């Protein structure tokens, strides 16, 4: 297919663009295969470049022959184009619709994007499982890398390399895979150096109504227990939901077969409930009614903050079991690809200072989201404005980022990265020039040859020039476990994402810039002090030389 | 009366103190005339000094002979004392109750407090009306100081000196005073240099059911109009409430008699409605139920943020009339001592950069709250925990401070002072060692001889050592009018006051300290650079001298 076929009208003059925080601007609208571009004649800086893949939905309306297209973006921005001529408007609208809903991943922009920067570090190789395992094996020899999923046949949503107890061989893993939903047998998620306790994750066991068991599965997770110690299974579903799952062949670990494990059920919502929550929240945020009661009711009715609270509470519980109870933990829900990953990744942010550094956080995303098989392609296909209710969409990752933001807000010095980095990740998960968030798992990414054909987000982000923008000026390495408050009073709406386009952040940005300016000035002064000291030392040496002979 | 009569048990040993963020501590409890003191034997730093006047209410309960006193403070803190011995506990509780509800102002701590610092600037003389007027008279000669209220007989709640139009003589003022509620004739509140427009304030006109008029009143406010221009009367009550006021002899300016004025009604709530709102809000903030829906419902039901929005919206309206419409404005509600002052003082913060400096803000409080006759003694007699429903209490001033905080949050670089300063003012308005907020108006303050017998808060605050703590490190003088957003999404709960005792701010304080540290380091470096430059210059001169002969 050629993009040209989809572009009915590649160019329209005298289009007026309305967007947040800028006065309307008139210019020429151009459609390319991947971008919608508006350039003003007066001033070349007045331009809009919008990725088609960032478009969540697109409405048109007419007043006489003046057409108006309202474009609602996945990053929650809303822009408006006034287009003279009904035919042009219809053509543009249908082209945008076609280009923003391309079926084939290989037609997406990351496959066409050519970077304008020199790649000094290829992000595709920055966080390899082998490197991670090397760190682990320097402190414990109880774990091994397994290549049993080399060709993705044992578990299609797992990476080719996973970390499992040394005592369990690949044959056992193959058996366990048949006992776990989607083949997701328990693997290592996190090793807590401090007390040698571990967190594992998996999917639900396929217990069914017959109460099926799998001795290898029992052996695997028992292998992580210390002598005489009990472990915790954290099921991210309510007991009720977990019980209902048995009718469909799923279920939960039976006490009789896992006597050393205590099961705790914590209800975290999934899929369409989360998606509807996001839609309601964004609708509330965009409400212009200027009525305080209505705003607070709508915020409450969206349940977004309730979901944040549920997720954070469960992550704290997992972290507590590991750090305070000194127990091993297994986390799973149904598939183990959404709430499970929210819990294991947030628990690591709480427990492990490394995950609060910018590279450590990237490594965490690679391990616990990308390699762990969170289906980004399905979940992030649409955002808050889409009317099409596809069942597989859910803001699981956005909820995770929001939870990270909540912790960051409570511990403003403990993170090496800043809020901008979290917003960036939100944007790129939904629409990007980089290949990082394409596909649903490593298997798909491998087949798409993303490493060869697209650029990694990390290649760009980790350039010194770019990474500086995402650094938290207040960071002071904090080696401790951090316990966020999950009281409802402590959790807030993430304005940086949800109110970003509704009101100008100009004055808040100014404050941020002022701080950056102060830090820069600090560095300059330090350089100056050093230079002056050197000059002084030189002069004094000269003087001594002059005096000594 | 001797305090000793009220103190039934001056001292109890083995009392255990529970308070937010500290582990319980055992020590000796002492009651003095003005303080409740707990000192631990182990560590002299583990002490509590609590002003009796800070105590809002005090509950006791018993388990066997162990008594427990729960003290709820006006600054919203809750502390608990476990007292062995029922008699001791009862004695302490009744002493606290008596000492925290003394009738006579002259028995309050400010009359006994002896400062431990040297007074370099007497705050009682820092903001005299004559000084303010000098500034005004350098730019316009249309206004004069009137001493008509010299002995507080014309208007008991006005100061002895007020600024009025030059064209209006004292005889007219006396007449107008009889036409305005409580004698509060229109006076100058703010002169907008930029376009020479003014804001005045007064109380409601005593129109009554007969439609009484007062030509002098009409002449006074018309004197502030430019030729051919109209002015705005902002009535801080709904039209309905204003109409009902006529039955009680009050009312509003009739169109027929004030044809050059457009009246706008904006409903700001008063008295017990505000007090109940505060009580509900604080109850919601202290709710431990950990339920997000409940918290958001209770927050909404408290209506606190609705009040914030009403007040800010009206202040923005007043500021808009002055700055954008280029019109004169008169603001009043019923008495002109609460919502009127909220509106005029917030409008000045929006319009006048001087009011956003720390001294300018103090001057604003003196002019628009203290001298303007806001009855602090009545309004701040009780805070959120008191059960006694006295009609005259209302958190008018706290709402004003909250509104200032909302603007500060939106314009973090435009204020010279920081949030800590606002919190300090809240505390001292309710309980203080200083005399500033004692009494209900200047007349009472004069009779109490506060200037001679007590210390001004400003004497203490404006010492270089103290004032530094209240400075905003991000301040960059901004000479512009600042327009805050009043969209409900833009207004937030003031955590610094309402969640202050519910969760530790340790990590947020750390971030603040880190910033202060960076600023300090900056200064140090600058000093070092200067010193090194000087040294270098000296060495170079020496060298030249050595070389030249």
């Amino acid at each position: 297919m050629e993009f040209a076929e989809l572009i009915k009208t590649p160019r329209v003059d005298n289009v007026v663009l309305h967007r947040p925080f800028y006065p309307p601007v008139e210019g020429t609208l151009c459609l390319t295969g991947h971008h919608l571009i508006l350039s003003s004649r007066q001033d070349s800086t007045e331009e809009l470049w919008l990725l088609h893949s960032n478009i969540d939905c697109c409405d048109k309306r007419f007043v006489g022959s003046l057409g108006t297209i309202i474009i609602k973006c996945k990053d929650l921005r809303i822009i408006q184009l006034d287009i003279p001529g009904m035919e042009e408007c219809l053509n543009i609208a249908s082209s945008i619709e076609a280009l923003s809903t391309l079926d084939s991943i290989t037609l997406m922009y990351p496959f066409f994007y050519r970077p304008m920067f020199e790649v000094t570090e290829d992000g595709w190789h920055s966080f390899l499982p082998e490197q991670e395992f090397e760190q682990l094996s320097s402190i414990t020899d109880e774990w091994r890398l397994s290549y049993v999923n080399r060709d993705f046949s044992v578990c299609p949503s797992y990476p080719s390399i996973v970390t499992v107890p040394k005592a369990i061989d690949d044959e056992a893993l193959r058996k366990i895979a048949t006992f776990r939903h989607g083949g997701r047998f328990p693997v290592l998620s996190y090793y807590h150096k401090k007390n040698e306790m571990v967190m594992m994750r998996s999917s639900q066991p396929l217990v069914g109504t017959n109460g099926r068991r799998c001795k290898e599965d029992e052996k695997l997770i028992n292998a992580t227990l210390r002598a005489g110690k009990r472990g915790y299974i954290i099921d991210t579903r309510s007991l009720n939901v977990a019980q209902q799952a048995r009718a469909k062949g799923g279920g939960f670990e039976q006490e009789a077969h896992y006597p050393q494990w205590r099961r705790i059920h914590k209800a975290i919502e999934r899929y369409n409930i989360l998606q509807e929550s996001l839609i309601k929240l964004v609708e509330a945020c965009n409400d212009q009614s200027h009525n305080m009661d209505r705003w607070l009711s709508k915020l409450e009715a969206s349940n977004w903050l309730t979901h944040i609270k549920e997720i954070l509470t469960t992550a704290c519980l997992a972290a507590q079991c590991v750090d305070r109870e000194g127990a091993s933990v297994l986390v799973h829900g149904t598939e183990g690809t959404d709430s499970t990953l929210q819990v294991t990744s947030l628990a690591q942010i709480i427990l492990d200072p490394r995950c609060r550094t910018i590279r450590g956080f990237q490594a965490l995303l690679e391990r616990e989201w990308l390699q762990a098989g969170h289906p980004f392609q399905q979940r992030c296909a649409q955002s808050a404005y889409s009317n099409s209710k596809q069942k597989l969409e859910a803001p699981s990752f956005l909820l995770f980022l929001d939870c990270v933001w909540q912790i960051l807000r409570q511990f403003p010095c403990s993170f090496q990265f800043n809020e901008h980095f979290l917003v960036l990740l939100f944007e790129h998960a939904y629409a990007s020039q980089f290949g990082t968030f394409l596909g649903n798992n490593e298997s798909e990414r491998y087949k798409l040859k993303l490493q060869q054909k697209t650029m990694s987000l990390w290649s760009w982000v980790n350039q010194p020039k770019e990474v500086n923008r995402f650094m938290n000026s207040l960071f002071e390495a904090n080696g401790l476990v951090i316990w966020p408050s999950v009281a409802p009073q402590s959790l807030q709406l993430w304005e940086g994402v949800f109110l970003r386009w509704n009101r100008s952040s100009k004055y808040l940005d100014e404050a941020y810039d002022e701080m950056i300016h102060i830090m820069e000035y600090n560095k300059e002064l330090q350089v100056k002090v050093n230079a002056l000291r050197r000059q002084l030392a030189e002069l004094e040496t000269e003087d001594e030389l002059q005096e000594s002979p």
Side-chain angles (χ1 to χ4, degrees), chain A residues 66-126:
Chain A
L66 182 75
T68 291
I69 299 181
I70 313 252
I71 294 175
K72 298 182 177 175
C73 301
K74 291 180 187 162
D75 63 11
L76 309 184
R77 183 174 23 161
I78 298 179
I79 63 175
Q80 179 185 326
L81 298 169
D82 297 340
I83 300 175
M86 189 180 285
E87 197 191 328
E88 280 84 354
C89 185
L90 286 170
N91 283 346
I92 293 285
S94 74
S95 303
I96 290 176
E97 237 153 87
L99 290 163
S100 62
T101 53
L102 293 177
D103 278 336
S104 166
I105 294 185
T106 53
L107 289 176
M108 303 287 274
Y109 187 50
F111 287 92
F112 297 82
Y113 169 70
R114 291 293 157 263
M116 302 289 281
F117 59 90
E118 206 190 329
V119 177
T120 50
E121 179 194 343
D122 184 351
W124 289 118
H125 302 116
S126 295

Side-chain angles (χ1 to χ4, degrees), chain A residues 70-231:
Chain A
I70 313 252
I71 294 175
K72 298 182 177 175
C73 301
K74 291 180 187 162
D75 63 11
L76 309 184
R77 183 174 23 161
I78 298 179
I79 63 175
Q80 179 185 326
L81 298 169
D82 297 340
I83 300 175
M86 189 180 285
E87 197 191 328
E88 280 84 354
C89 185
L90 286 170
N91 283 346
I92 293 285
S94 74
S95 303
I96 290 176
E97 237 153 87
L99 290 163
S100 62
T101 53
L102 293 177
D103 278 336
S104 166
I105 294 185
T106 53
L107 289 176
M108 303 287 274
Y109 187 50
F111 287 92
F112 297 82
Y113 169 70
R114 291 293 157 263
M116 302 289 281
F117 59 90
E118 206 190 329
V119 177
T120 50
E121 179 194 343
D122 184 351
W124 289 118
H125 302 116
S126 295
F127 310 100
L128 298 177
E130 291 91 339
Q131 290 163 7
E132 287 284 324
F133 183 74
E134 220 164 275
Q135 290 191 343
L136 179 69
S137 58
S138 71
I139 42 176
T140 170
D141 63 351
E142 293 176 352
W143 297 83
R144 68 179 184 95
L145 284 183
S146 165
Y147 298 83
V148 68
N149 199 39
R150 193 178 295 109
D151 56 0
F152 307 109
S153 62
V154 176
C155 173
S157 66
Y158 265 180
S160 53
I161 311 175
V162 290
T163 307
V164 293
K166 208 171 215 170
I168 308 299
D169 62 22
D170 283 357
E171 204 39 49
L173 293 178
R174 280 197 194 90
K175 277 194 192 148
I176 301 169
T178 65
F179 179 65
R180 291 274 174 183
H181 190 120
R184 293 174 69 92
F185 52 85
V187 295
L188 181 73
S189 165
Y190 172 65
Y191 183 88
H192 198 43
K193 240 193 277 186
K194 195 171 129 190
N195 60 7
E196 305 180 333
M197 290 300 130
V198 299
M199 186 162 58
M200 287 175 298
R201 55 176 162 73
S202 69
S203 58
Q204 66 178 349
L206 299 174
V207 174
T209 42
N210 306 335
R212 204 179 140 212
R213 71 186 285 193
C214 170
K215 296 224 167 143
E216 287 81 1
D217 188 81
E218 293 156 24
K219 191 178 162 202
L220 191 162
I221 73 165
N222 286 338
T224 68
L225 292 175
R226 304 282 146 208
K229 281 271 193 180
R230 287 177 59 158

